[in-house]
């Protein structure tokens, strides 16, 4: 069963004052005809909810802004969304309902590789485009030409989240030699670990340990002890949020200090999990998709001002840096394609999306043949100097994290080995 998330709930936190003041500068065009209905699911309950709720608020802000400007093609936009409960098994039913019962004109993707993968067969059968939110190489088995990936992983997505990790490791002197890989047995983490194997080979590291662990694991001490026994210089973890937190708690409890630790751990980017871990994050080197550096914040500052005001009342991630902006941006892309084609025809939209660049608050996006970005823009960061007194103001800025890669976003140098940053 799925539950409809109304346009109130998450999206209705702020009184109208802030939003109206922000939008007043754009004169509205007259709206006519039936609304353009866009259907999608996001996790509002379950383990992915801290991230899904951010994305949903971002999407609702986009909907309100676009309608305040007159909609698209002179028609109001109506978002129809359901809570997928972080459960991939719910996805086929939700997307079938959106298309067959709700009769939406277009669909946008759910959040996360594990949930995008089961959505693809449904939309492929109907010939619909799908912009997946943070799907890591989700189209590698399907090769569907109407799929587009809203993630900054670039043309080699499986390798992107750990490429920076191995890049900075290879620069250390003396160069570390061995790596241990531990991956949650789920779609995203399997793909990320596959990329980590490729990166280890590319950068000249020997794999000393390579194991998976089941989703739902609650005791991570055996995993940490096995990694300690492997005694590898580098440890790469590919995991979803609850596992990421559990692994770092166990690593700190058992005083596990390889020369580097991190890689592709989902969850560490969200405020709720930063608050849970605090000083236990110190030294970890992990992927990021966006940070509030002056360079990146410049184009997104207006959005985050609105988001953060509304998040206070909605009771969701107060900053929205991980998925709030992306939830807005992946609808920006769909809206720009509709305006560019003057159409909601899926074939026309897909052709346009393959041949045009899109300007979003999270960066400029151009899609390659399989719908991945033509240029990798993911980041590798290291956490440092965090105390157990860290609070929201800590996470609001850049004082606790260094961007290590790519070079054009770099803000500091790796603290190495891991124990020196703890």
């Amino acid at each position: 069963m799925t539950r409809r998330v109304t346009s109130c709930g998450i999206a209705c936190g702020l009184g109208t004052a802030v939003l109206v003041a922000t939008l007043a500068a754009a004169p509205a065009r007259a709206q006519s005809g039936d609304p353009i209905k866009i259907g999608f699911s996001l996790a509002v309950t379950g383990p992915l909810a801290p991230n899904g709720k951010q994305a949903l608020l971002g999407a609702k802000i986009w909907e309100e802004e676009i309608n305040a400007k007159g909609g698209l093609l002179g028609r109001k936009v109506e978002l129809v969304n359901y809570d997928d409960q972080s459960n991939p098994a719910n996805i086929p039913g939700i997307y079938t309902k959106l298309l067959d019962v709700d009769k939406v004109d277009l669909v946008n993707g759910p959040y996360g590789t594990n949930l995008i993968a089961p959505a693809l067969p449904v939309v492929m059968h109907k010939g619909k485009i799908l912009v997946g939110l943070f799907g890591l190489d989700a189209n590698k088995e399907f090769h569907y030409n109407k799929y587009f990936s809203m993630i900054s992983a670039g043309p080699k997505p499986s390798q992107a989240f750990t490429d920076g990790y191995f890049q900075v490791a290879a620069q250390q002197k003396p160069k570390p030699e061995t790596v241990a890989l531990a991956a949650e047995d789920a779609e995203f983490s399997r793909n990320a670990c596959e990329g980590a194997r490729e990166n280890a080979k590319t950068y000249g590291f020997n794999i000393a340990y390579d194991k998976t662990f089941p989703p739902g694991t609650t005791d991570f001490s055996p995993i940490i002890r096995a990694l300690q026994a492997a005694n590898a210089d580098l440890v790469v973890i590919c995991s979803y949020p609850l596992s990421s937190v559990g692994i770092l708690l166990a690593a700190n409890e058992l005083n596990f200090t390889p020369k580097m630790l991190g890689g592709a751990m989902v969850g560490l980017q969200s405020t709720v999990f930063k608050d849970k871990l605090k000083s236990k994050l110190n030294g970890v080197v992990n992927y990021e998709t966006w940070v509030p550096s002056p360079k990146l914040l410049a184009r997104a500052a207006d959005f985050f001002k609105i988001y953060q005001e509304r998040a206070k009342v909605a009771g969701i991630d107060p900053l929205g840096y991980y998925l709030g902006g992306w939830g807005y941006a992946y609808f920006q892309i769909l809206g720009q394609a509709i305006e560019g084609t003057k159409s909601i025809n899926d074939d026309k939209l897909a052709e346009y999306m393959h041949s045009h660049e899109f300007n979003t608050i999270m960066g400029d996006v151009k899609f390659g043949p399989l719908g991945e970005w033509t240029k990798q823009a993911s980041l590798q960061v290291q956490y440092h100097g965090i105390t157990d007194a860290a609070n929201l103001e800590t996470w609001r800025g850049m004082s606790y994290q260094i961007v290590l890669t790519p070079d054009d976003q770099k803000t500091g140098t790796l603290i190495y080995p891991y124990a020196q940053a703890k």
Side-chain angles (χ1 to χ4, degrees):
M1 252 180 106
T2 61
R3 294 185 293 156
R4 178 70 179 270
V5 179
T6 66
S7 58
C8 250
I10 291 175
C12 284
L14 178 69
T16 58
V18 172
L19 185 63
V20 169
T22 304
L23 301 179
R29 301 185 301 270
Q31 296 174 336
S32 61
D34 293 333
I36 297 173
K37 296 169 69 175
I38 305 174
F40 64 108
S41 80
L42 284 170
V44 179
T45 56
L48 298 181
N51 294 338
K53 289 178 181 178
Q54 296 178 54
L56 181 57
L57 179 52
K60 292 296 185 180
I61 292 171
W62 175 84
E63 177 189 33
E64 292 161 9
E65 286 191 358
I66 211 73
N67 284 331
K69 294 174 183 176
L72 295 169
L73 310 182
R75 296 163 62 184
K76 180 181 178 182
V77 172
E78 179 185 338
L79 298 188
V80 181
N81 56 280
Y82 292 93
D83 176 13
D84 56 44
Q85 301 172 337
S86 308
N87 187 350
N90 290 336
I91 293 294
I94 289 174
Y95 279 82
T96 299
K97 183 178 188 301
L98 286 167
L99 292 165
D100 291 349
V101 179
D102 297 318
K103 303 292 185 183
V104 298
D105 298 291
L106 298 165
V107 289
N108 237 5
Y111 155 60
T113 317
N114 297 1
L115 291 98
I116 293 168
L120 272 166
V122 178
V123 299
M124 289 170 67
H125 179 68
K126 299 287 188 177
K128 308 297 288 183
I129 63 167
L130 186 77
V131 183
L133 184 60
F134 279 28
L136 190 68
D137 219 359
N139 198 27
K140 70 175 182 178
E141 303 295 337
F142 299 102
H143 289 199
Y144 183 48
N145 67 355
K146 296 177 193 170
Y147 172 78
F148 300 90
S149 184
M150 196 55 173
I151 191 172
S152 54
K156 295 181 178 180
S158 290
Q159 294 165 244
F161 279 9
T162 58
D163 180 73
Y165 179 101
F166 283 100
Q167 180 183 327
V168 296
Q171 294 167 355
Q172 305 312 303
K173 296 180 181 179
K175 179 184 173 183
E177 297 179 354
T178 57
V179 60
L181 308 175
E184 193 163 353
D185 192 9
E187 190 83 17
F188 160 80
S189 34
R190 287 195 301 268
N191 288 350
C193 196
E194 180 182 316
R197 293 185 194 103
E198 289 296 319
N199 287 330
K201 181 178 178 181
T202 298
Y203 287 97
F205 295 101
N206 297 318
I207 297 175
Y209 177 96
D210 188 350
K211 301 287 185 182
T212 61
F213 58 89
T217 296
T218 56
D219 181 5
F220 294 94
S221 298
I223 296 171
I224 296 301
R225 290 194 178 96
L227 290 168
Q228 285 176 318
N231 198 31
D233 297 321
L234 314 175
V235 173
V236 170
I237 308 292
C238 304
S239 52
Y240 259 91
L242 297 184
S243 298
S244 299
V245 172
I247 284 172
L248 289 186
L249 290 174
N252 277 267
E253 183 179 343
L254 296 172
N255 195 31
F256 180 44
T257 54
K259 291 179 179 176
M260 285 177 62
L261 174 66
M265 304 178 77
V266 179
L268 307 188
Q269 307 80 7
S270 296
T271 308
V272 64
F273 298 120
K274 287 184 170 78
D275 273 337
K276 172 77 173 175
L277 291 164
K278 296 192 176 183
S279 65
K280 297 177 179 65
L281 285 168
N282 285 331
V284 171
V285 176
N286 201 50
Y287 87 92
E288 254 290 4
T289 55
W290 191 90
V291 295
S293 64
K295 184 174 182 179
L296 293 177
L297 186 58
R299 69 196 302 167
D302 290 343
F303 166 80
F304 283 111
K305 182 178 180 181
I306 297 171
Y307 172 97
Q308 289 167 12
E309 284 296 327
R310 298 199 31 189
K312 291 177 185 176
V313 180
I316 65 174
D317 189 293
L319 299 177
Y321 291 156
Y322 186 49
L323 266 193
W326 292 102
Y328 181 96
Y330 90 134
F331 276 93
Q332 273 190 295
I333 284 181
L334 193 57
Q336 288 174 27
I338 291 169
E339 290 177 330
T341 59
K342 308 299 181 190
S343 172
I344 56 172
N345 177 276
D346 289 272
D347 291 332
K348 291 180 180 178
L349 292 170
E351 183 179 354
Y352 184 91
M353 291 168 71
H354 277 297
S355 58
H356 288 75
E357 186 172 76
F358 296 85
N359 179 267
T360 81
I361 63 168
M362 307 306 279
D364 296 330
V365 179
K366 188 162 184 170
F367 296 106
L370 291 181
E372 303 293 349
W373 290 23
T374 57
K375 181 181 177 182
Q376 179 182 323
S378 54
L379 313 171
Q380 201 76 199
V381 305
Q382 184 180 38
Y383 304 115
H384 67 93
I386 304 169
T387 72
D388 287 333
N391 57 26
L392 182 59
E393 292 311 306
T394 306
W395 315 130
R396 193 181 296 280
M398 291 292 293
S399 64
Y400 69 95
Q401 60 183 337
I402 300 165
V403 179
L404 302 171
T405 64
D407 287 342
D408 65 348
Q409 301 293 340
K410 187 173 179 178
T411 65
T413 304
L414 176 72
I415 303 169
Y416 179 89
Y418 169 57
Q420 285 194 10
K422 289 191 62 59

